[in-house]
């Protein structure tokens, strides 16, 4: 094995970064690994809805990075990477701290994209982080005036918009009139047909209004303006607008032009930057060249994290790197309090059983932290009887 003088640096400790770090550690005792993240805690985003509805406690799904990396031999620094100098293989962090690297993995995830639509940044809530969750909860706790100012508009009928609408309905009952705005003619455009059908039925049953073929053109402090396919504009007053209409990659600044597609870093199928083979980019920030079909999910980020660990070892040993192949193990969606829909693992189920199974599957994906596992284990024992026959 070649000796490497500097640590392997992983920027971003979400689904991709954690998996890269832990798999690198498991297979290679002699690598020095440094992980940098601007936050103190991991955020298990697929269960953000359940934390919002208090079905799950925040500590169960937001362990500290210190606890994840304790006794692993991996060094964790809490800091924000602002700039990457590819000529000097150097990261510039906040407070002008500098970190050199020989090999780098970028896994900085994504944040909401307002597509430069007027008023989104100023007046919309987001649902992407714990901070967003807390802000939204606070905002929805305010009193409404029924009939005139109790409308919630959720923009975007992707999984985030649909899952959130169902939780809000169950949590706040009839306090709000809920509208989902979708610019195409369908909800859940990239989802499995079973989950889509289950979601459509649930939306109808929960009396959630769906406005299709309409785009948001402006939001002011009082009104949201929509335009339909016939160029007709309609304005509505609102209590809250929640923006779940799209995401963009979180990227530090670079000193070099690198190839991008839709602002995502373009990588080869071995997950390396095309211009810098010692740099890998995984998860929401990257796109494999000539492959537009990969979903932007935790599932992809985790598999890429594991694969990058393998390819880094091959690269360091001057061996041939392997192409990444995504193994689609299915899709799970929460559809209100205590209900979900699953299409995958050879199953298509919905309802309470799907909700419990979804939680068990996610629990098994949690980074191995004693406390969280303990809570999952006790929950599992409580529920075990209902899984006879399928597990
Ligand atoms: C509400 C919600 C529900 C979702 N549900 C599902 C689901 O059911 N199934 C599914 O597969 N996917 C789901 N996703 C998508 C999934 O969460 C993302 O695809 C996944 O988190 C991407 O992993 P990642 O490693 O690329 O980034 P992330 O997991 O977002 O991690 C990025 C990390 O980088 C850090 N970071 C960012 N910039 C910097 C910087 N400059 N310096 C240092 N650190 C930095 C961040 O603090 C963060 O910890 C959901 C997303 C949301 C928002």
């Amino acid at each position: 094995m070649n000796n490497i003088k500097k640590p392997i640096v992983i920027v971003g400790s979400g689904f991709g970064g954690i998996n890269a770090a832990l798999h690198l550690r498991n297979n290679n005792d002699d690598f020095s690994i440094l992980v940098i993240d601007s936050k103190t805690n991991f955020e298990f985003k697929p269960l953000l809805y359940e934390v919002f509805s208090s079905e799950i406690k925040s500590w169960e799904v937001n362990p500290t990075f210190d606890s994840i990396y304790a006794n692993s031999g991996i060094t964790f620094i809490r800091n924000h990477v602002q700039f990457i100098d590819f000529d000097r293989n150097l990261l510039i962090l906040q407070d002008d701290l500098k970190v050199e690297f020989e090999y780098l993995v970028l896994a900085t995830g994504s944040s909401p994209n307002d597509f430069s639509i007027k008023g989104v940044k100023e007046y919309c809530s987001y649902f992407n982080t714990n901070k967003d969750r807390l802000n939204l909860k606070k905002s929805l706790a305010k009193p409404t005036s029924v009939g005139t100012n109790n409308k919630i508009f959720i923009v975007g009928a992707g999984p985030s918009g649909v899952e959130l609408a169902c939780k809000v309905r169950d949590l706040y009952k009839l306090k709000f009139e809920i509208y989902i705005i979708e610019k195409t003619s369908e909800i859940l455009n990239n989802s499995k047909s079973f989950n889509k059908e289950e979601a459509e039925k649930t939306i109808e049953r929960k009396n959630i209004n769906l406005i299709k073929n309409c785009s948001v053109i402006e939001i002011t402090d009082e009104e949201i303006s929509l335009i339909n396919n016939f160029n007709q504009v309609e304005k509505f007053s609102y209590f809250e607008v929640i923006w779940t209409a799209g995401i963009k990659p979180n990227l530090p600044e670079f000193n070099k032009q690198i190839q991008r597609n839709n602002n995502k870093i373009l990588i080869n199928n071995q997950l390396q930057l095309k211009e810098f083979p010692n740099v890998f980019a995984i998860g929401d920030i990257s796109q494999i060249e000539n492959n537009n079909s990969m979903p932007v999910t935790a599932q992809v980020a985790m598999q890429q994290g594991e694969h990058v660990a393998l390819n880094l070892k091959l690269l360091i040993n001057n061996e041939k790197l392997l192409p990444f192949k995504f193994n689609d193990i299915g899709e799970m969606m929460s559809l209100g309090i205590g209900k979900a829909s699953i299409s995958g693992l050879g199953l298509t189920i919905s309802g309470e059983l799907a909700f419990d199974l979804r939680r068990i599957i996610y629990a098994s994906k949690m980074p191995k932290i004693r406390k969280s596992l303990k809570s999952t284990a006790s929950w599992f024992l409580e529920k075990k009887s209902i899984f006879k026959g399928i597990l």
Side-chain angles (χ1 to χ4, degrees):
M1 174 164 311
N2 286 344
N3 279 330
I4 57 170
K5 294 169 213 75
K6 295 169 195 149
I8 296 170
V9 180
I10 298 171
V11 182
S13 187
F15 282 96
I18 288 188
N19 270 280
L22 296 178
H23 279 93
L24 261 176
R25 173 75 312 138
N26 282 348
N27 302 326
N28 317 281
D29 282 343
D30 40 358
F31 288 164
S32 155
I33 303 164
L34 170 66
V35 178
I36 305 170
D37 198 291
S38 31
K39 297 193 175 134
T40 50
N41 289 59
F42 174 64
E43 295 193 339
F44 198 108
K45 292 181 181 177
L47 290 173
L48 200 59
Y49 316 101
E50 279 68 31
V51 183
F52 178 74
S53 58
S54 306
E55 289 166 277
I56 288 180
K57 292 185 184 66
S58 171
W59 65 264
E60 292 181 86
V61 288
N62 299 299
T64 63
F65 292 125
D66 283 343
S67 68
I68 293 174
Y69 296 121
N71 305 320
S72 66
I74 296 169
T75 308
F76 174 74
I77 300 182
R78 186 201 170 185
N79 207 311
H80 189 78
V81 174
Q82 293 180 315
F83 190 83
I84 305 177
D85 182 334
F86 287 111
D87 291 325
R88 294 191 288 161
N89 282 345
L90 186 73
L91 303 176
I92 302 187
L93 283 55
Q94 254 166 9
D95 305 324
D96 213 25
L97 196 69
K98 294 184 176 68
V99 173
E100 284 183 274
F101 63 87
E102 203 165 330
Y103 298 97
L104 176 68
V105 179
L106 291 173
T108 41
S110 55
S111 49
N113 191 348
D114 65 8
F115 302 103
S116 304
I117 295 169
K118 221 170 149 191
V120 173
K121 226 179 269 160
E122 293 84 350
Y123 302 113
C124 288
S125 294
Y126 297 120
F127 197 73
N128 191 56
T129 61
N130 267 316
K131 202 168 158 211
D132 297 338
R133 167 182 66 82
L134 290 168
N135 288 340
L136 183 63
K137 204 75 193 265
K138 215 162 145 191
S139 185
L140 298 190
K142 290 181 197 150
T144 55
S145 41
V146 180
T148 54
N149 191 14
N150 72 337
K151 293 186 177 64
I152 292 186
F153 291 87
I154 298 178
V155 186
S160 287
V162 169
E163 290 180 84
L164 187 59
C166 294
K167 286 287 188 213
V168 171
R169 168 57 80 226
D170 286 2
L171 204 54
Y172 298 91
K173 307 277 187 274
L174 297 177
K175 180 177 178 185
F176 301 112
E177 256 180 67
I178 305 173
Y179 293 80
I180 302 179
I181 314 291
E182 168 56 39
K183 75 171 183 187
T184 69
S185 58
E186 283 190 59
I187 66 162
L188 300 170
N189 276 301
N190 300 317
S191 294
K192 313 266 179 215
S193 53
F194 176 78
N195 287 348
K196 207 165 167 164
E197 283 158 25
E198 290 304 307
E200 275 162 357
K201 283 189 252 167
T202 308
I203 286 173
E204 204 178 324
R205 204 173 44 244
K206 290 189 187 295
N207 228 342
I208 295 168
N209 306 287
L210 197 53
I211 304 181
K212 296 182 191 169
N213 298 310
C214 267
S215 304
V216 175
I217 47 171
E218 188 182 356
I219 298 167
T220 65
D221 57 345
E222 287 185 342
E223 286 181 331
I224 174 168
S225 303
L226 308 180
I227 189 163
N228 66 16
N229 286 351
F230 306 103
N231 272 341
Q232 294 159 326
V233 175
E234 209 173 343
K235 296 180 183 211
F236 299 88
S237 63
Y238 66 83
F239 178 86
E240 188 76 38
V241 181
I242 310 170
W243 190 259
T244 65
I247 49 171
K248 59 175 189 230
N250 297 323
L251 295 177
E253 285 181 46
F254 307 130
N255 73 327
K256 281 272 151 71
Q257 285 279 339
I258 54 170
Q259 287 188 53
R260 301 196 196 182
N261 190 4
N262 278 335
N263 231 4
K264 288 180 168 192
I265 299 177
L266 214 52
I267 51 173
N268 63 23
N269 66 1
Q270 297 150 354
L271 310 180
Q272 296 160 291
L273 263 65
K274 297 181 71 194
E275 301 84 351
F276 304 102
N278 62 329
V279 181
F280 295 77
I282 57 172
D284 287 5
I285 55 163
S286 62
Q287 189 184 319
I288 298 178
E289 196 180 24
N290 302 325
N291 185 342
N292 289 323
S293 61
M294 198 91 69
V296 186
T297 60
Q299 212 185 114
V300 170
M302 288 172 83
Q303 289 181 26
Q304 290 189 337
E306 185 170 350
H307 194 79
V308 97
L310 174 73
N311 269 354
L312 262 167
K313 189 171 181 184
L314 294 171
L315 182 66
I316 291 164
N317 287 335
N318 293 323
E319 291 177 51
K320 193 170 173 343
L321 274 61
L322 297 173
F324 172 73
K325 289 195 187 88
F326 174 52
N327 175 22
D328 186 352
I329 49 176
E331 178 193 79
M332 305 189 284
M333 199 172 280
S334 87
L335 291 174
I337 291 184
K339 304 268 171 47
S341 175
I342 298 181
S343 179
L345 312 158
L347 292 169
T348 46
I349 51 167
S350 65
E352 287 173 17
L353 189 60
F355 178 84
D356 288 334
L357 187 55
R358 175 175 175 269
R359 183 164 159 174
I360 286 187
I361 292 168
Y362 279 148
S364 74
K365 306 282 175 210
M366 279 291 293
K368 307 269 180 283
I369 309 106
R370 218 183 314 129
K371 258 183 153 182
S372 307
L373 284 182
K374 213 164 125 192
S375 106
T376 302
S378 61
W379 176 86
F380 180 72
L381 285 175
E382 264 172 43
K383 296 273 178 180
K384 207 168 85 181
S385 53
I386 63 169
F387 292 108
K388 276 185 196 138
I390 62 161
L391 288 182

